Amino acid sequence: MNSSCTSFEAEFRAIYPRLRRFAYSLTSQPADADDLLQRASERALRNFAKFEQGTRFDSWMFQLTRNLWIDTVRARGRRANREVPEEAGLGVGHDPRPATHAAIDLQKAMQAMAKLPEEQREIVALILIDGMGYRETAEVLDLPIGTVSSRLVRGRKALLELLGEGKDD
């Protein structure tokens, strides 16, 4: 194994949990998140020689993952006229009785996240779930920091309303 692969593996291992949470927040489905993360890691490994040493590996990976998701969404839109809708197979093999109250709460939260506009969902996922800072999120998404801030405020408010917790404010 050459040093480039070793370096990639070390960098990737360090951010894998964060990147997986981000992929899940984009896709809203564990299997889709795993597929997205697999494709992102393959592309990153293939292009690791192009990665500029001294820059942030995690930002590079988040951007790569986001771009792959955008490509996936576009491709799904083009296939929609030829294939059965994804919703038709969502209930197959699904146990409707969650094991714990935490699972129910997480499911409600992820359903509410899925209802947010994508531009808000990305920012909510990166800042509130992953713990990124505003500036880092702005860099990853290539947006002005003010846009990140306003989308986070709107996304957080919408999420609380969807969860039934923002009505008293």
Side-chain angles (χ1 to χ4, degrees):
M1 185 182 278
N2 64 35
S3 64
S4 176
C5 287
T6 304
S7 175
F8 175 83
E9 184 179 348
E11 295 272 0
F12 189 76
R13 281 181 194 239
I15 67 162
Y16 178 80
R18 294 174 50 212
L19 195 59
R20 185 162 192 301
R21 283 191 303 268
F22 181 61
Y24 184 66
S25 73
L26 292 174
T27 65
S28 303
Q29 297 294 325
D32 288 345
D34 290 340
D35 291 345
L36 176 61
L37 196 53
Q38 176 69 33
R39 289 193 331 270
S41 62
E42 288 171 359
R43 183 171 290 179
L45 185 56
R46 263 194 327 269
N47 294 304
F48 191 61
K50 297 176 186 176
F51 173 70
E52 295 179 34
Q53 295 299 325
T55 61
R56 292 191 54 147
F57 180 77
D58 58 346
S59 293
W60 184 64
M61 285 299 304
F62 278 99
Q63 286 176 329
L64 195 149
T65 302
R66 178 179 180 248
N67 291 340
L68 278 172
W69 178 244
I70 290 169
D71 293 346
T72 300
V73 169
R74 287 179 183 152
R76 283 182 181 171
R78 289 188 299 267
R79 286 193 306 262
N81 294 333
R82 300 185 315 238
E83 297 180 0
V84 174
E86 181 181 349
E87 297 80 34
L90 288 178
V92 176
H94 175 63
D95 181 3
R97 299 166 293 163
T100 64
H101 290 291
I104 292 170
D105 290 342
L106 178 60
Q107 184 179 18
K108 286 179 183 176
M110 290 312 297
Q111 287 172 348
M113 279 281 289
K115 292 178 183 176
L116 292 178
E118 186 169 343
E119 61 188 19
Q120 292 175 7
R121 188 171 62 239
E122 291 174 335
I123 291 172
V124 167
L126 290 173
I127 294 175
L128 297 182
I129 296 174
D130 192 54
M132 272 191 189
Y134 285 45
R135 186 176 318 279
E136 184 180 4
T137 300
E139 290 172 9
V140 166
L141 300 179
D142 194 28
L143 294 170
I145 199 161
T147 301
V148 168
S149 178
S150 64
R151 287 182 184 176
L152 177 63
V153 169
R154 288 192 310 271
R156 185 183 312 180
K157 182 179 178 190
L159 191 58
L160 288 173
E161 287 175 4
L162 288 166
L163 293 171
E165 298 175 17
K167 294 177 182 167
D168 297 328
D169 291 342

